[in-house]
Each structure stands twice: as C-alpha cells, then as structure tokens.
Amino acid sequence: EPEVTQTPSHQVTQMGQEVILRCVPISNHLYFYWYRQILGQKVEFLVSFYNNEISEKSEIFDDQFSVERPDGSNFTLKIRSTKLEDSAMYFCASSEAGGYTDTQYFGPGTRLTVL
Amino acid sequence: AQTVTQSQPEMSVQEAETVTLSCTYDTSESDYYLFWYKQPPSRQMILVIRQEAYKQQNATENRFSVNFQKAAKSFSLKISDSQLGDAAMYFCAYRSSSGNTPLVFGKGTRLSVIA
C-alpha cells in the first residue's frame, strides 16, 4: 500500500541553524500538508500546498518557514533560523484531491530537537 | 473557527472489553468530515475511521465504530473487543467543507489496554 515517507526520522540542530525536513507524498496525490505536534500537545496545522503554491497557512507559519516541491516527488519544509520552541514532531500529509471528503494520509513524522 | 474537544485525557480498558472515547466539536457549517486518528508510541498518525456529516448512518470499520450525533455535535469512537495493540493516543479531527481546509485536531485521549 502506498505511503507517505519522511526523512530524517530525527533531526538535532543548534538554535539559529537552518533545517530542511523532507517528505515524499503518495505518488498520485496533489495536495500536501505540514502539521506539527509539540510534545504532549495536539497536532497543529502549518501549511497546505497545491500546484506549486501555498494554498493556506496558519499563524504559526511565519517568515522563518518555507515550503517547496523541488522535483516531482519531494515536498520540503525549511526552517531558516530554528528556535527552541520549534522542537516538535513534524508530520507531512498528502491527499489525492483537496476536497473535504479526501482523506489526508500522514507520514511517520520527523522529530526535530533544537538545542 | 472550528474547535474540537476531547474531554477524556486518559482512558483504560480491559482486553476484550469495549471502550468509548468522546469527542465534541463546534461548527456553524452543515457539511464537514470527521475523523479518528490513532497515534501509537511510534507517533505515526494512522487513520482509524471517518464520517461524512451528511450521512446519517454511523461509520464502521471492523472493531471500530462511531456514534455520530449531528445535532449534539458529538462524534464518539467505540472500540469493541479491545486488543493490546489498540493502546495509543486517539485524536478526533474535523475538516470543513470549505475549499482545501486543514484538519483541526482535538487534544487527544490516551488509551491504555490492560491484559
């Protein structure tokens, strides 16, 4: 069964450094999402992406964040200058279409630790 | 904005017994989608079951079923014949029918299964 994959599974970085989290969505999916989950808290939406554009973003997704689909398979989340509070689990998700009836399938997550 | 509330931070159930996890939500919309996701210790988000708001019939997936009460804005998950592998965090999520909208998650319920 096709699945969303994410790399790395765990990333440790120093405060102020740039990190890139990578995701490979399910191949026929067109809509992509990033969510994050700070330890012990609920999952929060960051950004959605379609047709090489951001379609929606939350208040969390400020200027230090960016997303890109550099080729036909990868979808990346870049954090330019990491802060301690960016430490969280970051989940990538994809869906075949963008309608509300379309299920979003999640990857296994990347645990980001900022020291 | 829509909100999702899970009032039970923790629940426990004996193996082979039945447990019900509660979820309520707040919305002014008439069309939407509701989901239950399972997050085992690996922290991957796994779709358990989904329910379209316009359907009166409650969704069922093997041992998992929902009790969807649209007027009460309630969406509980029933797990029958509980197994040790059911132990996980369970998140209720809402998705609006308006465009390509993100999932809105509750804070989760941690389910323990006692052998």
Side-chain angles (χ1 to χ4, degrees), chain B residues 38-83:
Chain B
K38 171 185 177 181
Q39 187 181 45
S42 65
R43 300 193 73 183
Q44 181 157 8
M45 297 287 284
I46 303 166
L47 177 67
V48 175
I49 199 166
R50 60 185 178 182
Q51 173 81 42
E52 299 95 321
Y54 64 86
K55 288 189 177 179
Q56 291 186 337
Q57 186 174 6
N58 289 323
T60 299
E61 289 285 344
N62 300 314
R63 297 182 296 106
F64 298 88
S65 62
V66 298
N67 183 7
F68 174 49
Q69 302 289 328
K70 191 172 184 180
K73 297 179 183 175
S74 170
F75 181 61
S76 60
L77 174 69
K78 185 171 83 170
I79 306 174
S80 304
D81 186 25
S82 298
Q83 301 175 359

Side-chain angles (χ1 to χ4, degrees), chain A residues 41-59:
Chain A
Q41 299 186 23
K42 65 180 176 181
V43 179
E44 301 172 292
F45 169 72
L46 292 177
V47 65
S48 58
F49 190 87
Y50 169 71
N51 198 26
N52 284 320
E53 289 184 345
I54 290 174
S55 50
E56 190 165 345
K57 61 182 180 179
S58 72
E59 294 176 350

Side-chain angles (χ1 to χ4, degrees), chain A:
Chain A
E1 184 175 336
E3 57 183 24
V4 178
T5 60
Q6 290 184 243
T7 54
S9 57
H10 190 191
Q11 174 91 45
V12 181
T13 189
Q14 294 290 328
M15 188 171 57
Q17 295 296 304
E18 175 183 287
V19 295
I20 298 176
L21 310 183
R22 291 182 168 79
C23 168
V24 179
I26 294 172
S27 61
N28 64 331
H29 286 187
L30 300 176
Y31 292 80
F32 315 118
Y33 312 84
W34 283 102
Y35 292 82
R36 81 170 184 189
Q37 183 186 29
I38 295 171
L39 186 64
Q41 299 186 23
K42 65 180 176 181
V43 179
E44 301 172 292
F45 169 72
L46 292 177
V47 65
S48 58
F49 190 87
Y50 169 71
N51 198 26
N52 284 320
E53 289 184 345
I54 290 174
S55 50
E56 190 165 345
K57 61 182 180 179
S58 72
E59 294 176 350
I60 303 168
F61 194 86
D62 60 22
D63 291 344
Q64 71 163 339
F65 291 94
S66 62
V67 289
E68 190 179 31
R69 187 152 164 84
D71 53 42
S73 60
N74 289 283
F75 178 52
T76 62
L77 174 69
K78 181 192 291 185
I79 309 175
R80 288 190 185 81
S81 178
T82 51
K83 305 171 188 171
L84 295 177
E85 54 264 38
D86 293 328
S87 294
M89 197 78 167
Y90 287 81
F91 292 100
C92 173
S94 69
S95 64
E96 191 169 353
Y100 75 108
T101 58
D102 289 286
T103 297
Q104 295 178 22
Y105 293 89
F106 284 76
T110 292
R111 184 188 301 274
L112 176 65
T113 301
V114 182
L115 302 176

Side-chain angles (χ1 to χ4, degrees), chain B residues 11-19 79 82 111-115:
Chain B
M11 292 280 285
S12 62
V13 62
Q14 292 281 347
E15 199 175 3
E17 296 296 308
T18 296
V19 65
I79 306 174
S82 298
L111 179 66
S112 302
V113 181
I114 303 165

